[in-house]
Amino acid sequence: MESTVAQKLEAIYNLQLIDSRLDAIIKVRGALPEEVQDLEDEIAGYETRLEKFKRDIEVFEEDIKRYKENIKESEKLIKKYQDQQMNVRNNREYDAITKELELQDLEIQVSKKKIAETGVKIDAKKADLEELYNLMKDRQKDLDLKKDELSTIVSESESEESKLQAEREKASKKVEERLIKSYSKIRTNAKNGLAVVMVKRGACGGCFNTVPPQRQADIREKKKLIVCEHCGRILAGVEDEVEDDTVKAKRRTSKA
C-alpha cells in the first residue's frame, strides 16, 4: 500500500530529527576526528621519510665499503708493481711500472677523498634523521593526547549514538528510496544539515526566507511535497504560533 504525502512527510521529518540529534553528538567532537586523521597522516609521512633517510645512509655506507675495498686492491697492486720494479730489464719497463704506481696512488687518494665526502653526507643525513625522529615523537605525543580526548568524548555519547543509529536505520526504511536520495543530497549541501524543516513564524525553518500565505496553506494540506523556493529544503509543515498566556493577559488589560 502506497504511503500518503502526509505519511511520507512524517517519515522524512522523523528521519531529520534523528539525524539532527546525531549531528549534535558529532558537533561536540568538533574538529578532533579531522585533527587526529591529519596527525596520523603527518606521522605516516615522517615514517616514510625516516625509512628513506635510513636507506640513504645504508647506500652511503656501502659506498664507503666499496671505496675501502678499492684502496686495498690498489695497495696490493702497488706492492706487486714495486716487486716488478726491482726486476726490470730496461728503462721503458721501469717507466711503465712507475706510471702504474702513480695511477694506483692516485686511485687511493681519490677513494680516500670520496670516503671523507661520503662520511660528511652520512653525518648530515644522521642529523636530519635525529631531527625528524624527535619531531615525530612530539607529534606522536600530540596524537596520543588528541586520541585520548576523542575517545573520552566518544565513550560518553557512544550509547546514545548507537541507539540513534538503530532508530535511524528503522526510520529510513519507512522512507522511499527516491526521497532518501533527495534528502541526502539536500543535507550534503546544507551547512546546518537540515533537509526537512517546518515553516515557523511564516518563514522557512532552514533559510528563514518568508513563505507566502498561499504556499503555507498548500503545505498544511499535505497533498504534495513542497520545497522552499529559496533553499530547496523540504517543508514538512507549518507550526502555528501559539500566543503566550502572559501576552494575552496584557492585551486584555490594555483593552480594558
Side-chain angles (χ1 to χ4, degrees):
M1 183 178 177
E2 190 176 349
S3 301
T4 63
V5 172
Q7 289 172 330
K8 290 178 181 179
L9 284 169
E10 183 182 357
I12 198 71
Y13 187 60
N14 184 46
L15 182 62
Q16 176 67 77
L17 292 176
I18 295 170
D19 279 337
S20 292
R21 287 164 67 189
L22 283 167
D23 290 345
I25 290 174
I26 294 171
K27 188 176 181 180
V28 171
R29 297 170 191 170
L32 274 175
E34 289 79 10
E35 289 173 3
V36 167
Q37 185 61 57
D38 288 344
L39 282 169
E40 287 177 340
D41 292 343
E42 185 179 346
I43 290 171
Y46 291 153
E47 288 174 344
T48 301
R49 287 175 62 191
L50 280 174
E51 289 303 314
K52 184 179 183 303
F53 286 162
K54 288 176 182 178
R55 288 196 300 271
D56 289 343
I57 291 171
E58 287 174 359
V59 170
F60 290 148
E61 288 174 342
E62 285 296 319
D63 289 342
I64 288 177
K65 184 179 178 181
R66 188 173 69 255
Y67 296 144
K68 287 181 176 180
E69 288 173 355
N70 291 343
I71 290 174
K72 287 181 180 180
E73 186 62 29
S74 292
E75 287 174 343
K76 286 180 182 178
L77 289 172
I78 285 173
K79 188 176 185 305
K80 174 186 172 184
Y81 292 141
Q82 285 175 339
D83 291 340
Q84 288 178 357
Q85 202 174 39
M86 300 296 292
N87 300 306
V88 294
R89 289 170 293 182
N90 52 55
N91 288 338
R92 190 177 65 181
E93 287 183 3
Y94 183 87
D95 290 341
I97 292 173
T98 299
K99 285 183 180 179
E100 287 295 334
L101 285 168
E102 290 174 351
L103 180 62
Q104 294 306 317
D105 185 60
L106 181 61
E107 285 287 341
I108 290 172
Q109 291 179 42
V110 170
S111 293
K112 286 182 177 179
K113 183 182 178 183
K114 287 183 177 179
I115 287 172
E117 290 173 346
T118 307
V120 171
K121 290 179 181 178
I122 288 175
D123 290 340
K125 196 64 74 171
K126 283 183 176 179
D128 290 341
L129 188 69
E130 185 177 1
E131 182 181 351
L132 185 59
Y133 181 70
N134 290 332
L135 177 59
M136 192 172 76
K137 281 203 303 184
D138 289 339
R139 300 308 279 163
Q140 185 64 53
K141 288 178 183 177
D142 293 339
L143 176 59
D144 292 340
L145 287 171
K146 294 285 185 185
K147 276 187 171 180
D148 288 343
E149 188 179 351
L150 181 58
S151 178
T152 301
I153 294 172
V154 169
S155 63
E156 289 174 351
S157 59
E158 191 172 13
S159 176
E160 184 183 358
E161 186 176 4
S162 297
K163 182 182 176 182
L164 286 171
Q165 288 290 1
E167 288 181 15
R168 188 189 192 284
E169 186 176 352
K170 186 178 178 181
S172 61
K173 289 178 180 178
K174 296 180 180 179
V175 184
E176 60 186 53
E177 188 177 348
R178 181 183 60 82
L179 191 53
I180 280 280
K181 287 182 179 178
S182 299
Y183 168 79
S184 299
K185 186 176 180 180
I186 298 170
R187 253 178 69 79
T188 301
N189 295 327
K191 290 183 179 179
N192 55 10
L194 294 176
V196 185
V197 296
M198 300 293 285
V199 175
K200 298 180 180 180
R201 296 183 179 179
C204 168
C207 66
F208 309 112
N209 278 292
T210 301
V211 178
Q214 182 55 50
R215 199 165 183 80
Q216 290 185 44
D218 293 337
I219 295 167
R220 281 193 178 93
E221 288 181 357
K222 297 186 178 182
K223 290 183 178 180
K224 60 180 178 179
L225 291 175
I226 297 175
V227 299
C228 175
E229 58 187 9
H230 298 284
C231 66
R233 289 179 173 88
I234 299 169
L235 300 172
V238 178
E239 286 189 2
D240 293 318
E241 190 175 353
V242 180
E243 202 169 22
D244 189 270
D245 290 339
T246 306
V247 175
K248 287 181 179 179
K250 285 183 178 179
R251 286 184 177 177
R252 282 198 298 268
T253 304
S254 62
K255 287 178 180 180

